[in-house]
Amino acid sequence: VAARKGMETPLTAVAEAFEELARRMEADGGELRLGPFGDTCALVSVLFSCLGIAFRFAEIEYVAKVNDLIGAAKSYGTLNDILDKDVENDCVKKQGSHSRNLRRVRLGLGLIKVLFEQFLSTQDCSLYDAATTAYGQVCAPFHSWAVRKAVGAGMYTLPSREQLIVRLNETDCSVQKEMRRYIDASSPIIDYIDNLFLSRNISLDW
Ligand code: 1PZ
């Protein structure tokens, strides 16, 4: 195991971190601690470097949101705590609030999940098709027209399916296994975050 660790691919590192986080959530009686959550979400940014320069802006945006949550871990123990505080101060949906940033990060995690599901759905699904479907489904409904246009244009610069697999240091076979692991491990986390809002009667249409 120690020998394999050194050869860990970025995708394996992400999949393992989410599995660990899901296990931790279970061990903590179904609560998610902000610190480990933020650290795990931060790992995802390694995937951006495989997408090319056009997604640099998406990376900066995503990382800013994650860093806000990592900073918040100094004052708040759990994801529940930030929701409680923002509900109290009536700023759940306010730009820059921890709760809003949590919602944005959750959409990022969901985007990757749907992207991987699409990517695995057929052997010849292009990255363009997978990313376009995932973005349209998960993030586009909540992004401005200008952002949607920019993302749409950026999609044409994405690497091919084969290029992505090479850049991720995976093979046809290993990429399936690792993407599947992320899909399975991130699902309970994503559902948990949605439920933080829904259980407080906050809809998810923003
Ligand atoms: C492998 C993935 C390929 C798919 C590519 C999908 C590209 C998504 C591009 C997103 C561009 C985001 C541009 C800025 C959006 C902001 O308006 C919003 C709202 O911010 P607020 O008003 O709350 O301050 N910001 C966001 O939605 C946060 C950024 C999310 C980006 C998630 C991408 C995660 C994908 C990771 C892929 C490795």
Side-chain angles (χ1 to χ4, degrees):
V1 179
R4 260 203 78 220
K5 269 244 142 96
M7 306 171 13
E8 197 172 66
T9 66
L11 209 47
T12 311
V14 170
E16 261 170 20
F18 276 92
E19 284 173 354
E20 172 72 32
L21 189 66
R23 276 196 297 270
R24 221 180 149 128
M25 182 168 79
E26 234 173 274
D28 287 339
E31 268 245 77
L32 209 44
R33 300 207 48 87
L34 194 48
F37 173 75
D39 292 342
T40 304
C41 292
L43 282 180
V44 166
S45 70
V46 304
L47 302 180
F48 280 103
S49 55
C50 303
L51 300 179
I53 195 83
F55 287 93
R56 218 15 225 151
F57 179 63
E59 176 179 6
I60 291 167
E61 257 293 304
Y62 175 82
V63 170
K65 279 19 179 188
V66 170
N67 282 343
D68 172 69
L69 296 178
I70 290 174
K74 293 191 194 100
S75 322
Y76 303 90
T78 66
L79 300 196
N80 255 312
D81 294 341
I82 62 173
L83 261 290
D84 284 341
K85 190 70 182 173
D86 286 344
V87 167
E88 197 183 309
N89 294 330
D90 197 21
C91 63
V92 169
K93 299 186 188 179
K94 191 170 175 244
Q95 192 166 23
S97 78
H98 298 317
S99 298
R100 175 161 165 145
N101 289 338
L102 173 61
R103 173 88 186 118
R104 299 286 167 244
V105 170
R106 177 266 177 248
L107 291 174
L109 300 182
L111 174 72
I112 300 165
K113 184 186 157 191
V114 174
L115 176 95
F116 286 180
E117 284 169 349
Q118 291 295 316
F119 198 83
L120 298 186
S121 63
T122 64
Q123 276 289 355
D124 49 29
C125 177
S126 67
L127 178 58
Y128 174 88
D129 287 339
T132 300
T133 301
Y135 178 74
Q137 212 172 297
V138 181
C139 291
F142 312 113
H143 280 167
S144 67
W145 180 86
V147 167
R148 292 199 308 271
K149 282 287 158 207
V151 172
M155 292 294 183
Y156 291 105
T157 71
L158 284 172
S160 68
R161 181 184 178 96
E162 292 72 24
Q163 270 175 315
L164 178 72
I165 293 171
V166 170
R167 286 189 199 177
L168 286 171
N169 222 335
E170 302 287 348
T171 64
D172 270 337
C173 179
S174 69
V175 81
Q176 294 197 27
K177 178 168 161 262
E178 302 306 328
M179 285 187 175
R180 173 51 57 193
R181 286 176 72 188
Y182 170 83
I183 293 167
D184 292 342
S186 66
S187 291
I189 312 273
I190 289 170
D191 292 347
Y192 174 83
I193 298 170
D194 284 350
N195 215 265
L196 289 174
F197 293 97
L198 294 173
S199 64
R200 291 173 172 82
N201 283 322
I202 303 163
S203 61
L204 299 176
D205 55 354
W206 52 288

